[in-house]
């Protein structure tokens, strides 16, 4: 049964630490590792919203704002921004923290689209999303606009 859910019901906060095996030859985190954490946190958020299995269908607008050093703490926050009929747009923000000074900084942000699927991989309808706070309403409107313009661009560039 389709119901209405709030973004706060599917929010994910994932904590990690940068280990030596996560780094590139500059001694900072490998970008692919950050993308993997973003995809995992985003998928958990989407699964919580639709209460079903999901697949990643699109990654949009990923920005690497600052690097993350070995030994730093990483927080990956994922929140449901917008839903279509079977698709869900999740916003993910990554923040680093120096454990010695407590200094925090935003490092990465991205928007991912997931589709709810049944066991045959066919798209399934998802629950409605009702943004409540001003931030949630702004994220909803922005994601709706991005989804619409991406669809138009895709059909124009075919
Ligand atoms: C996701 C998948 C099931 C969608 O199948 P499909 O035949 O394209 O289905 P539809 O055309 O009905 O699209 C389903 C939804 O996805 C959206 N969608 C499809 N392609 C998209 C894209 N590139 N970007 C954003 N949204 C997309 C559609 O707009 C639609 O949204 P809506 O129902 O909310 O309106 C199919 O593309 C797939 O299996 N992809 C591979 C997924 C995968 O392996 N991911 C990596 C590992 S998890």
């Amino acid at each position: 049964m389709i119901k209405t859910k709030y973004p706060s019901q599917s929010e994910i906060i994932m904590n990690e630490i940068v280990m030596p095996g996560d780094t590139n030859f500059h001694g900072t985190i490998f970008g692919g590792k950050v993308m993997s954490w973003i995809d995992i946190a985003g998928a958990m958020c989407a699964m919580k919203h639709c209460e079903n299995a999901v697949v990643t269908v699109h990654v949009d607008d990923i920005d690497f704002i600052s690097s993350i050093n070995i030994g730093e703490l990483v927080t990956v926050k994922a929140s449901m921004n917008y839903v279509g009929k079977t698709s869900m747009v999740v916003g993910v923000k990554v923040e680093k923290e120096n454990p010695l000074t407590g200094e925090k900084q935003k490092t990465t942000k991205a928007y991912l689209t997931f589709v709810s699927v049944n066991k045959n991989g066919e798209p399934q309808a998802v629950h409605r999303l009702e943004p409540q706070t001003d931030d949630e309403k702004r994220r909803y409107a922005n994601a709706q606009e991005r989804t619409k313009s991406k669809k138009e661009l895709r059909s124009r560039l075919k």
Side-chain angles (χ1 to χ4, degrees), residues 1 4-5 13 23 29 47 49 56-57 60 71-72 74-75 80 82-83 91 98 100 106 115 126 128-129 133 146:
M1 190 189 62
T4 300
K5 292 180 73 173
I13 299 181
T23 58
I29 198 161
M47 287 168 81
H49 178 79
T56 314
V57 70
D60 194 20
E72 286 193 306
V74 179
T75 304
M80 188 56 63
Y82 175 74
V83 303
N98 180 324
L100 307 183
K106 183 173 168 184
V115 173
V126 298
R128 291 177 292 269
L129 182 71
T133 66
R146 265 197 315 277

Side-chain angles (χ1 to χ4, degrees), residues 39 43 54-60 82-89 112-118 120-126 147 150-151 154:
D39 192 31
V54 302
V55 288
T56 314
V57 70
H58 186 73
V59 179
D60 194 20
Y82 175 74
V83 303
K85 184 168 173 282
T86 66
S87 65
M88 296 159 281
V89 179
L112 296 89
T113 307
F114 297 89
V115 173
S116 171
V117 290
N118 65 14
N120 300 318
E122 296 157 346
Q124 301 295 296
V126 298
T147 302
K150 276 280 152 66
K151 254 187 200 160
R154 256 200 305 274

Side-chain angles (χ1 to χ4, degrees), residues 143-157:
Q144 188 172 35
E145 178 77 35
R146 265 197 315 277
T147 302
K148 188 168 163 257
S149 54
K150 276 280 152 66
K151 254 187 200 160
E152 285 166 4
L153 186 67
R154 256 200 305 274
S155 64
R156 223 167 356 106
L157 298 184

Side-chain angles (χ1 to χ4, degrees), residues 85-116:
K85 184 168 173 282
T86 66
S87 65
M88 296 159 281
V89 179
V90 178
V92 182
K93 187 171 95 177
V94 182
E95 197 176 72
K96 68 178 173 184
E97 178 178 345
N98 180 324
L100 307 183
T101 63
E103 191 190 335
K104 292 181 182 175
Q105 196 180 343
K106 183 173 168 184
T107 68
T108 322
K109 72 150 184 66
Y111 301 99
L112 296 89
T113 307
F114 297 89
V115 173
S116 171

